[in-house]
Amino acid sequence: MSWCLRIPEALLRAIRADLSRPHAFAAERVGFVEAALGNKDAEEKLILASAYVPVPDAEYIDDPTVGARIGGAPIRRAVERALTGRTGVFHVHAHEHGGRPRFSGIDLTEIPPIVRSLRVAGRTQPHGALLLSRDAAAAMVWLPGSDAPNISGRITIVGRPMRFLENASDHGRV
Amino acid sequence: MDASDVDRQGFLGSGFALARRVARIGAVGVSGGGSHIVQQLAHLGFDRVTMFDADVFGKENLHRHVGARHADIAAQTKKVAIGQRVYDDVRPNAIVRPVDKRWQDRADLLRSCDLVIGCIDTFEGRKEIETTARRYLIPYIDIGMDVFTVQGAPPRVVGQMALSLPGGPCLECLSVVTERELAQEASRYGGKVIRQQVVNANGQLASAAIGVALDVLCGWSGDLKPPILLQYDGNRCTIERSRKLNGREHVRCPHFPACEVGDPIGIDL
């Protein structure tokens, strides 16, 4: 079972614009991308990004041990959106470098519990995390019914020009 | 892939080299203009192509179906089988999926495509493909042509090539598919639409569509900016930016909201 995450170029621009804004004390920003499941009966599932929900400045917690820590309210709102069953929710943040980004140890510790809450709330939609760099992206994706992230996937930026990324290996840039 | 293949198309850039290898291209309707699309995709070297056409080749297609043979009439060869034969002759290692059904019968395969090119006769058919393409975030390129006759004047050969890019103006925004045309078509009560076609006009429109497809896939031209609607004048052999675009360059499409993506979800009442 594999997946293809499709993100409209305009949406990606909006995400990047928000995540690159400086914050009063947080070293980086986070947000949530809404994305719906498509082609659910095919071998390759589609994950179709439709909206971006930023985290308001006031909902960051001042914690110098991590790039960004957010309070419970934005996570609760994300879980509420997942609860509708109409959309999956992906935690998104950016690492400010070029080339394919990798989730850090802190990311791999802190993000899966958030995704677990999303998966419990919305079992019929995909959930996960999206990580952007200046010109590439990587994702952790839990498809409906999967207890572990599905590794095999690709990311397509839909616009002009299109961009094609294999999640498992780096041969494309966004 | 032969190295000379790459060299001679090298100006298209590294984005093209990647797209050619990984992009899944869908071609709906592979007779007429669609047969040119298939032929050019093969020569360009796209490795993953899915063709949809439920029809069987007949003598009425011979004048406009590139790659067809006279023997295909008697053999009643499926049109997608001709497309596959053309592809196999040029790119024997490509992954070609010929679907000899309506695309709606294998909509999963259409949805899996990264870009779809439609060469079909009906407005309703265009609208159906575009609706699916929008729902699954797939750029859709549409071509169509027709011949109009007015008493006392030479026939007019006209056509269009439109790009429907998710987030941008759709075929309705661009007046390619209008309520009036849909109503006229529906009033034929299912009667088959038979449009006049000629191979050279099909070829010119298909070439324009492939040019735009290449630009969408790898952005090589640097200055072909959406929205894209080209109008074809077969009498003057010209293809130019449509006047319908004037004032519509920055239209926000009201017909396909960004939130309406993915498999439809049933709601309990």
Side-chain angles (χ1 to χ4, degrees):
Chain A
M1 193 155 39
S2 61
W3 49 265
C4 174
L5 171 59
R6 291 179 178 162
I7 309 174
E9 185 185 33
L11 178 60
L12 183 68
R13 273 202 309 272
I15 296 170
R16 282 194 197 288
D18 180 68
L19 295 180
S20 64
R21 289 186 305 125
H23 186 274
F25 52 80
E28 61 187 28
R29 285 182 182 269
V30 302
F32 293 93
V33 175
E34 297 187 358
L37 181 66
N39 240 5
K40 64 183 171 66
D41 296 323
E43 173 60 24
E44 183 187 69
K45 319 295 181 195
L46 300 175
I47 303 167
L48 304 148
S50 60
Y52 173 63
V53 181
V55 173
D57 283 16
E59 292 181 342
Y60 285 81
I61 294 169
D62 192 356
D63 181 350
T65 65
V66 294
R69 185 177 300 286
I70 56 173
I75 297 172
R76 274 196 301 279
R77 287 196 299 273
V79 170
E80 282 167 10
R81 285 192 296 279
L83 199 55
T84 65
R86 293 163 184 260
T87 187
V89 179
F90 286 72
H91 178 283
V92 59
H93 74 297
H95 289 173
E96 289 301 320
H97 59 75
R100 184 169 185 263
R102 293 183 187 283
F103 289 96
S104 68
I106 290 176
D107 292 338
L108 295 172
T109 303
E110 304 252 333
I111 295 173
I114 299 173
V115 177
R116 195 176 307 126
S117 300
L118 296 166
R119 290 169 51 221
V120 169
R123 295 179 184 280
T124 59
Q125 292 285 341
H127 304 286
L130 176 65
L131 175 59
L132 306 176
S133 72
R134 287 193 189 125
D135 57 4
M140 287 191 283
V141 173
W142 279 260
L143 292 169
S146 296
D147 290 329
N150 299 81
I151 304 299
S152 178
R154 58 193 184 114
I155 301 171
T156 302
I157 309 306
V158 181
R160 181 208 160 271
M162 297 185 75
R163 292 287 183 267
F164 301 96
L165 286 165
E166 291 286 347
N167 198 49
S169 63
D170 179 14
H171 57 62
R173 300 271 168 103
V174 291
Chain B
M1 189 70 56
D2 191 302
S4 61
D5 241 12
V6 178
D7 294 345
R8 297 284 181 116
Q9 298 184 128
F11 72 95
L12 294 169
S14 59
F16 170 69
L18 177 63
R20 184 170 64 170
R21 190 160 51 82
V22 303
R24 302 169 188 195
I25 313 295
V28 183
V30 297
S31 189
S35 63
H36 293 264
I37 296 288
V38 168
Q39 185 187 50
Q40 292 194 28
L41 289 173
H43 284 287
L44 283 161
F46 283 94
D47 277 343
R48 295 164 183 266
V49 173
T50 306
M51 308 172 193
F52 301 85
D53 201 316
D55 285 349
V56 166
F57 185 80
K59 63 182 179 187
E60 70 280 8
N61 305 121
L62 192 60
H63 71 288
R64 63 192 165 96
H65 192 135
V66 298
R69 301 169 185 163
H70 192 270
D72 288 322
I73 299 170
Q76 296 188 309
T77 311
K78 295 271 191 183
K79 289 179 177 175
V80 289
I82 297 173
Q84 179 161 36
R85 187 174 70 205
V86 166
Y87 227 97
D88 288 348
D89 284 347
V90 181
R91 304 284 178 195
N93 296 321
I95 301 168
V96 178
R97 283 183 159 172
V99 180
D100 61 353
K101 299 177 170 67
R102 297 161 65 244
W103 70 264
Q104 293 93 334
D105 296 326
R106 288 304 311 269
D108 57 316
L109 293 179
L110 188 85
R111 294 191 291 251
S112 73
C113 292
D114 296 304
L115 181 140
V116 170
I117 304 173
C119 310
I120 58 173
D121 289 333
T122 67
F123 292 105
E124 185 60 36
R126 291 184 166 92
K127 187 168 179 168
E128 284 182 26
I129 296 173
E130 186 187 38
T131 299
T132 294
R134 288 290 177 130
R135 192 149 197 110
Y136 294 91
L137 298 178
I138 307 167
Y140 172 56
I141 295 172
D142 177 87
I143 62 171
M145 69 156 288
D146 211 343
V147 180
F148 295 97
T149 51
V150 178
Q151 201 166 14
R156 298 293 308 175
V157 179
V158 298
Q160 90 286 323
M161 192 245 72
L163 168 66
S164 172
L165 199 58
C170 68
L171 296 183
E172 187 171 345
C173 295
L174 297 173
S175 296
V176 173
V177 174
T178 65
E179 287 300 325
R180 184 172 147 266
E181 281 152 338
L182 289 169
Q184 277 180 354
E185 207 168 78
S187 71
R188 297 190 191 106
Y189 299 105
K192 188 167 182 180
V193 176
I194 299 174
R195 296 192 192 284
Q196 299 263 310
Q197 291 194 21
V198 63
V199 68
N200 66 305
N202 281 335
Q204 287 176 294
L205 278 164
S207 293
I210 290 290
V212 170
L214 284 175
D215 204 66
V216 170
L217 288 166
C218 60
W220 72 273
S221 80
D223 60 9
L224 191 61
K225 300 278 190 290
I228 296 171
L229 176 62
L230 305 177
Q231 63 186 28
Y232 172 64
D233 183 331
N235 295 59
R236 292 190 297 156
C237 292
T238 58
I239 297 178
E240 56 191 17
R241 183 181 183 277
S242 173
R243 287 187 295 272
K244 288 180 180 175
L245 277 178
N246 293 346
R248 298 186 193 190
E249 290 85 348
H250 305 293
V251 164
R252 291 182 69 86
C253 175
H255 308 104
F256 295 102
C259 60
E260 290 184 6
V261 295
D263 293 337
I265 296 169
I267 300 170
D268 294 331
L269 297 174

